[in-house]
Amino acid sequence: MKTILTFLVISASIFSCKKAEEQKNNNLIFEKTEVKKSDIKITPISHATAVLEFGETVIYIDPTGGAKAFEGFKTPNYIFITDIHGDHMNKKTLNELDLANTTIVTPDAVAKQLQAINAKEIIVINNGESKTINNFSVEAIPMYNLREEALKFHSKGRGNGYVFNIDNERIYFSGDTEDIPEMRNLNNIDKAFVCMNLPYTMTVESAASAVLEFKPKQVYPYHSEALMG
């Protein structure tokens, strides 16, 4: 255990909905928090794609960019996919990867489109479900739009965000969502990867409001405004 400076609130340069008293210097707001040293390595690749490594376990999240994007990484034990859009469920990338010993974990809507993928197995997990998989567990968190003009992008029940429980650490990947009640009600999140990608997900104001409510120990904005969510 050691004390390090971690994000409890994203800066006004990223999230513009700071309270007036927090905007005095337009700086990052930091708070000292006890955070245990993590043995989990998280490597962002691009947009919604990331690699988690702990012990001998390797997880790819929403792999895109072809096999070339994962040069230097070990073959994944598991792949988690959040939604059916091509920047999350990328069949070209999946077909380029060696998945003979890889388990793919997805919501049902994704699994139905991956029957031709040559993976070890496909496990379906839907909103609200939890599964223990070998040396970690995962919770499927809903992800969907709230704004009327965005409802067509992500319907409730189709895609998953994920909370990974690894070595007593809780890591949240929001997937493509807005500041839904299921996000706001999360507890004891150590690292939160929160999307911001208009017009497909949520505004910076909504993201900041949700973060202030569920209070993750560390926050990482992800997704690109230039790419579809």
Side-chain angles (χ1 to χ4, degrees):
M1 298 283 290
K2 64 179 182 178
T3 300
I4 64 173
L5 293 177
T6 57
F7 290 117
L8 287 186
V9 181
I10 299 298
S11 70
S13 64
I14 299 175
F15 288 163
S16 61
C17 68
K18 293 295 184 185
K19 296 177 182 178
E21 64 269 23
E22 294 175 340
Q23 293 178 327
K24 292 179 180 178
N25 299 315
N26 197 32
N27 289 329
L28 290 172
I29 307 300
F30 290 100
E31 183 173 314
K32 286 188 176 182
T33 306
E34 284 291 326
V35 179
K36 63 179 179 294
K37 182 178 180 180
S38 176
D39 293 322
I40 305 167
K41 181 180 180 182
I42 304 174
T43 306
I45 304 299
S46 65
H47 191 55
T49 304
V51 176
L52 276 67
E53 301 171 275
F54 53 99
E56 298 300 316
T57 301
V58 179
I59 298 173
Y60 291 1
I61 298 174
D62 287 342
T64 62
K68 185 176 178 61
F70 300 93
E71 291 178 353
F73 291 99
K74 294 180 180 179
T75 301
N77 305 101
Y78 305 95
I79 287 176
F80 281 78
I81 299 175
T82 60
D83 199 18
I84 60 174
H85 292 155
D87 56 333
H88 303 278
M89 182 193 70
N90 191 279
K91 292 181 181 179
K92 179 179 182 296
T93 298
L94 294 173
N95 281 318
E96 290 183 10
L97 295 170
D98 177 8
L99 304 182
N101 296 305
T102 301
T103 296
I104 299 177
V105 184
T106 79
D108 185 61
V110 174
K112 288 177 178 176
Q113 299 191 36
L114 296 182
Q115 298 306 311
I117 297 296
N118 186 27
K120 177 183 175 182
E121 64 177 334
I122 297 177
I123 294 176
V124 172
I125 180 171
N126 290 312
N127 289 181
E129 296 180 346
S130 300
K131 290 186 183 295
T132 297
I133 306 174
N134 197 9
N135 56 343
F136 67 98
S137 66
V138 64
E139 303 163 30
I141 309 300
M143 47 150 277
Y144 55 93
N145 287 108
L146 296 172
R147 292 169 297 127
E148 184 68 30
E149 66 273 21
L151 294 178
K152 60 186 176 182
F153 298 130
H154 305 98
S155 56
K156 187 174 183 179
R158 188 185 72 201
N160 291 331
Y162 294 107
V163 172
F164 295 94
N165 296 282
I166 304 169
D167 295 335
N168 296 316
E169 191 167 351
R170 287 169 56 78
I171 303 168
Y172 172 54
F173 284 84
S174 72
D176 282 354
T177 192
E178 293 191 54
D179 55 322
I180 57 176
E182 295 89 344
M183 177 193 290
R184 291 177 173 273
N185 291 333
L186 290 171
N187 293 310
N188 303 317
I189 300 297
D190 294 287
K191 294 180 176 69
F193 290 77
V194 178
C195 65
M196 290 188 299
N197 179 27
L198 291 176
Y200 304 104
T201 61
M202 61 179 150
T203 66
V204 292
E205 291 85 0
S206 295
S209 177
V211 164
L212 287 166
E213 186 160 347
F214 76 94
K215 296 181 175 63
K217 292 176 183 175
Q218 295 175 291
V219 181
Y220 303 88
Y222 81 137
H223 283 49
S224 166
E225 300 248 351
L227 297 176
M228 177 177 175

